[in-house]
Amino acid sequence: MHGGFLLFYTAMTDRSSMPVGIFDSGVGGLTVASAVRHLLPDETIIYFGDTAHLPYGDKSPGAILHYSKKITDFLIDHKCKVVLAACNTVSSTVWDELYGYSSGRTIALNVLDPVIESLVHGIQVKHIGVIGTKNTINSGAYSRNIKKILPDAEVSCLATPLLAPMIEEGFIYDDISNAIIRAYLSASTLKGIDKLILGCTHYPVIRNQIIKYYDFKVEVVDSAMIAAEYLRSILESRELLSSGSDKNDRFFISDHTEYFGKIAGIFFDKKISLEKIDLWK
Ligand code: DGL
């Protein structure tokens, strides 16, 4: 959409009633969308799961940026007042470029900044573990940003690339997922951590399995809820909270996958209808 037209459109409509756009490579961002639904029941959500291109965790930054820009345009064309990149891989590898691309036209938010900010307010611990996709961990974004605000903390990061595809394939709360989770979390890198950041929005789906692995002795940070709280504070401070008329959530995917609908149904406690759209043709 042309910038001038957006400003004109925005001036002519009540901006607070515009939807919140949320995207991820697949079901992961649904953890954030569902937290937004619980915390901000009056907001309309437009969700995009780029299931044709997942996982993002091992794609090149150029490809991730290309996918993210198209999705951002799509959400802006759907008049979203906010575009929330509910994907740590996007948030840690291509955020500066994506922010530059979208921030003049909408409010652009990621999921990494709120989690880092929340560490200042949380109980201070000595040793923080982070798990995420290869891209997220290799970017160094978590360790760099945690060190900036908690210079004395020890930070140990581990790439856990099988977890997102495992979740997308519906392997949760079963022997296979327990074995994979155990294999990753028993790595010597994570020995002795007091807190574990789930640096991938897919992982809250298996948060209880992870908590159980640690026998409830390690705090497992739910980044989805933190991102939703951050969104609420941004909308509040800009007087953009919706007062809730005509709520009509929409869920778009770029390709059909067997489990997307099922997992979405679990998060939203109802059968949701999925709209397939190819933004890249
Ligand atoms: N949910 C995403 C993240 O937070 C992406 C996982 C993937 O597609 O590899 O990183």
Side-chain angles (χ1 to χ4, degrees):
M1 184 188 290
H2 188 270
F5 179 69
L6 178 78
L7 289 176
F8 173 73
Y9 175 84
T10 306
M12 295 299 290
T13 51
D14 172 16
R15 209 170 157 217
S16 61
S17 64
M18 292 159 88
V20 168
I22 300 177
F23 77 94
D24 178 48
S25 61
V27 296
L30 289 173
T31 62
V32 179
S34 128
V36 170
R37 173 52 54 253
H38 282 106
L39 209 61
L40 298 166
D42 292 334
E43 299 297 332
T44 298
I45 294 172
I46 298 195
Y47 187 86
F48 194 97
D50 189 10
T51 43
H53 298 121
L54 72 88
Y56 279 6
D58 53 10
K59 299 284 184 310
S60 69
I64 298 168
L65 187 59
H66 174 63
Y67 305 147
S68 306
K69 279 180 169 177
K70 270 272 185 229
I71 300 168
T72 300
D73 286 341
F74 175 79
L75 294 172
I76 291 175
D77 285 349
H78 280 76
K79 324 271 185 284
C80 291
K81 60 185 171 191
V82 174
V83 171
L84 169 56
C87 173
N88 283 271
T89 307
V90 171
S91 307
S92 59
T93 55
V94 296
W95 181 247
D96 290 347
E97 294 90 329
L98 189 64
Y99 184 78
Y101 183 70
S102 51
S103 63
R105 299 180 290 156
T106 187
I107 300 171
L109 302 177
N110 68 41
V111 281
L112 189 137
D113 294 341
V115 172
I116 300 293
E117 205 183 293
S118 74
L119 295 175
V120 184
H121 310 295
I123 299 165
Q124 301 303 307
V125 296
K126 284 202 192 84
H127 190 176
I128 301 173
V130 183
I131 54 173
T133 66
K134 279 188 201 161
N135 272 328
T136 298
I137 298 304
N138 292 343
S139 74
Y142 268 99
S143 41
R144 214 172 32 250
N145 285 300
I146 295 173
K147 280 285 179 197
K148 266 189 216 156
I149 54 155
L150 302 173
D152 297 331
E154 184 181 345
V155 185
S156 300
C157 299
L158 182 75
T160 49
L162 285 181
L163 295 184
M166 173 189 97
I167 293 163
E168 288 284 342
E169 286 298 320
F171 289 104
I172 49 176
Y173 295 100
D174 60 4
D175 293 346
I176 294 174
S177 54
N178 274 332
I180 295 174
I181 290 168
R182 200 178 324 114
Y184 279 135
L185 299 185
S186 60
S188 57
T189 327
L190 296 177
K191 279 252 142 39
I193 58 167
D194 315 290
K195 188 185 270 221
L196 181 70
I197 294 175
L198 304 182
C200 172
T201 52
H202 279 70
Y203 302 173
V205 175
I206 51 168
R207 181 165 176 257
N208 288 342
Q209 280 176 279
I210 294 177
I211 290 175
K212 213 161 154 218
Y213 169 84
Y214 285 115
D215 205 12
F216 302 88
K217 293 192 176 100
V218 167
E219 185 197 344
V220 180
V221 177
D222 182 351
S223 47
M225 190 43 90
I226 293 171
E229 280 163 358
Y230 189 77
L231 171 67
R232 179 174 61 184
S233 70
I234 294 287
L235 293 180
E236 231 162 31
S237 68
R238 302 191 188 194
E239 297 183 8
L240 284 176
L241 280 173
S242 169
S243 51
S245 51
D246 284 349
K247 208 166 45 121
N248 180 23
D249 295 341
R250 294 181 75 181
F251 295 84
F252 293 90
I253 46 174
S254 48
D255 199 8
H256 278 296
T257 67
E258 206 182 327
Y259 291 103
F260 194 99
K262 241 190 217 163
I263 295 183
I266 296 172
F267 277 117
F268 284 82
D269 298 330
K270 60 175 184 185
K271 199 168 165 15
I272 58 170
S273 63
L274 299 176
E275 301 174 58
K276 186 182 161 211
I277 183 163
D278 182 356
L279 305 180
W280 294 272
K281 62 174 185 252

